[in-house]
């Protein structure tokens, strides 16, 4: 079965390839195959296949630790820096924003919505010009504005934050909230559903 190219970066073969590349290149440190599979919700066999290709072509370096293979970007590859920048712009928003938002207390739920979320979930259209971020909880606007400004410099596009209270989100009577809940979302933090895995 032919796998569709990702709308965010159609130069790649698949969405899974982009997610794996983004995790390896945008998250600091070395990563095992099992960790990448767990964090991206991609089957381990698929991760292994993609990592083997990346190692064979010199984009990724690997190190053995016992039975585990630990991979990281190959710093000797001249393509490392431009590839990292390209991944940050295309697949980067969930990784960049989740890491920064995790430092704050008071967030019950956070997700990317709007055009970027639509492209990330396979809806065709023009490349997003900005990132729309929704935060549910009791967080200072100034703290979120600082995170949005910092993230925007890495993602090379503005990040717009909307805060709603937990009561407003759960009631879903507000027109904006109702529209957001009906459209594609990329969940970053979810303390409302303990069983929910981040996407």
């Amino acid at each position: 079965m032919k796998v569709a190219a990702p709308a965010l970066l159609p130069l790649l073969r698949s969405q899974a390839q982009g997610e794996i590349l983004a995790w390896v290149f945008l998250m600091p440190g070395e990563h095992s195959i099992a960790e990448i599979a767990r964090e991206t919700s991609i089957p381990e066999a698929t991760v292994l296949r993609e990592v083997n290709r990346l190692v064979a072509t010199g984009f990724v370096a690997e190190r053995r630790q016992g039975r585990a293979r630990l991979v990281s970007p190959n710093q000797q590859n001249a393509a490392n820096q431009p590839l990292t920048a390209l991944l940050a712009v295309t697949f980067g928003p969930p990784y960049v924003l989740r890491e920064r938002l995790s430092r704050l207390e008071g967030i019950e739920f956070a997700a990317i919505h709007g055009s970027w979320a639509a492209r990330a979930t396979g809806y065709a259209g023009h490349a997003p010009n900005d990132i729309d971020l929704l935060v549910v909880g009791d967080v200072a606007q100034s703290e979120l504005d600082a995170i949005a400004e910092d993230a925007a410099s890495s993602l090379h596009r503005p990040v717009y934050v909307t805060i709603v209270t937990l009561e407003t989100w759960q009631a879903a009577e507000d027109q904006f909230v109702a529209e957001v809940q009906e459209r594609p979302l990329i969940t970053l933090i979810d303390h409302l559903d303990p069983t929910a895995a981040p996407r």
Side-chain angles (χ1 to χ4, degrees), residues 104-184:
L104 297 182
E105 296 183 358
I107 297 177
E108 299 291 342
F109 180 82
I112 300 171
H113 64 101
S115 59
W116 195 92
R119 296 299 88 73
T121 52
Y123 290 87
H126 294 293
N129 294 319
D130 52 38
I131 306 296
D132 296 306
L133 174 63
L134 172 85
V135 174
V136 177
D138 183 15
V139 189
Q141 181 74 53
S142 59
E143 290 183 299
L144 289 172
D145 287 343
I147 282 177
E149 184 176 350
D150 178 48
S153 65
S154 298
L155 301 174
H156 304 286
R157 67 189 74 188
V159 177
Y160 300 112
V161 187
T162 302
I163 307 174
V164 300
T165 65
L166 178 59
E167 294 74 18
T168 300
W169 178 253
Q170 291 179 327
E173 295 174 350
D174 178 86
Q175 182 178 353
F176 167 76
V177 169
E179 289 178 356
V180 168
Q181 290 183 357
E182 290 176 357
R183 294 175 181 173

Side-chain angles (χ1 to χ4, degrees), residues 6 17-19 33 39 56-57 67 70 76-77 96 112 116 128-130 134 141 147 161-162:
Q17 184 188 28
E19 297 280 358
I33 305 299
E39 297 296 339
T57 53
R67 296 179 62 184
L70 300 178
Q76 305 306 312
N77 192 317
V96 170
I112 300 171
W116 195 92
N129 294 319
D130 52 38
L134 172 85
Q141 181 74 53
I147 282 177
V161 187
T162 302

Side-chain angles (χ1 to χ4, degrees), residues 8-20:
L8 288 168
L9 186 57
L11 299 175
L12 299 180
R13 288 191 314 278
S14 67
Q15 181 76 17
Q17 184 188 28
E19 297 280 358
I20 293 164

